[in-house]
Amino acid sequence: KQWTTSNKALFGSAQSFPSLDRDAWKTELEHAELQGLVETAEAAARAAGQVIVSHLGCAAEVCDPTTDEECEIKTNLKDIVTQYDKQAQESVESIIRDAYPLHSFLGEEDVNPGAAASEAALEAALAKSESGFVWICDPIDGTANFAAGLTLCAVTVSVVYKGTTVIGVIYDPHQDELFSAVKGEGQSSLNGKPMPNLKEYHAIESIRDAIINAGCPADPNAFATSMRGVMALNGRSRGLRMIACSALTTAWIAAGRLNAHFGYDLSSWDLAPGALLISESGGIVTDLDGSPYQLETRNMLCSTNLVVHQDVLQILTEADAVSFTRSQ
């Protein structure tokens, strides 16, 4: 099946789920309730982080060269899962269900491999949630890095209320850095302390000064598109990186450590918490077609400021690096 990810094509327009009142959080959620949600999300993320630090470099454990057994492959060689992804998710889900038994839970490890499956899972979770709350989790974002022993991996936990992300948490257990955001607060925090607003703290004036992270998608067509973007941006920015962990990338943009990130065909558990962190910190998050970010967005560009964002978007567009056709 060919599927062109021309951004809006994946879920259609902003009215993908017309029955959802995406502004309901403004009148239906009290500050105290939001604080309870973020505290639970932080505790759950830390629990998964303990699994990560205990088994970093687990490829030797779960990939036995003497028997030719490999890590479990999901869609292709670049997209793997280990037994610890599932263990970490169980840690997260247990804490959430104890605190909020009536809320819905969507974890990556419960979803069949592939982009179409993650789209369908999100749609089903939003449609079926009787409480309006859906917790979304990636227990180990950057599994390939984790299995290899690279510390470029993290936990994501977000809370969605009637289609809007109201809580976003990303935890880097290796540095013990807990990034958190609550919708509408106008700031994000790092280990409980407010991070500087990007509009005041990190206002570089040109893409020439920007460090930009490029997506490393599993789909070969998406990867080729990302490489067109890399080639186009390489001579016009301070530097390109390919970290292969959207959680850390987006958290670092919210903290002003990176200036932009572009990625393709990413799932809600990859993007939702980081998008909230960045927007609450004063950064910019859009679809790669320039339309506003929504929970259903799968091709994303996020930046520390509008100048960089507009420059990157223009260069990617000129390089034909804003959409692709799925290879499967």
Side-chain angles (χ1 to χ4, degrees), residues 60 78 124 145 170 184-185 197 216 244 259 263 267:
K78 294 172 65 176
N145 291 341
I170 293 173
E185 286 198 343
N197 188 283
C216 185
N259 304 108
S267 299

Side-chain angles (χ1 to χ4, degrees), residues 41-165:
E42 290 173 343
R46 286 190 179 277
Q50 290 300 309
V51 177
I52 292 176
V53 296
S54 297
H55 299 284
L56 183 69
C58 68
E61 298 177 41
V62 297
C63 307
D64 185 353
T66 62
T67 61
D68 250 1
E69 292 180 1
E70 299 179 349
C71 298
E72 184 180 340
I73 295 171
K74 296 170 75 175
T75 58
N76 59 37
L77 286 172
K78 294 172 65 176
D79 187 15
I80 65 170
V81 65
T82 74
Q83 67 195 65
Y84 301 113
D85 293 75
K86 299 168 185 176
Q87 183 177 323
Q89 181 170 301
E90 289 170 359
S91 299
V92 169
E93 187 172 3
S94 174
I95 290 173
I96 293 168
R97 292 203 181 280
D98 283 347
Y100 298 98
L102 300 181
H103 290 189
S104 300
F105 181 84
L106 174 61
E108 180 182 9
E109 307 315 315
D110 294 329
V111 179
N112 289 331
S118 69
E119 290 171 339
L122 175 61
E123 181 175 6
L126 293 174
K128 295 178 180 179
S129 177
E130 295 182 2
S131 67
F133 288 98
V134 180
W135 292 71
I136 301 178
C137 169
D138 187 345
I140 307 179
D141 186 38
T143 298
N145 291 341
F146 161 73
L150 297 173
T151 58
L152 297 172
C153 48
V155 186
T156 75
V157 180
S158 55
V159 184
V160 172
Y161 183 69
K162 295 185 178 180
T164 296
T165 306

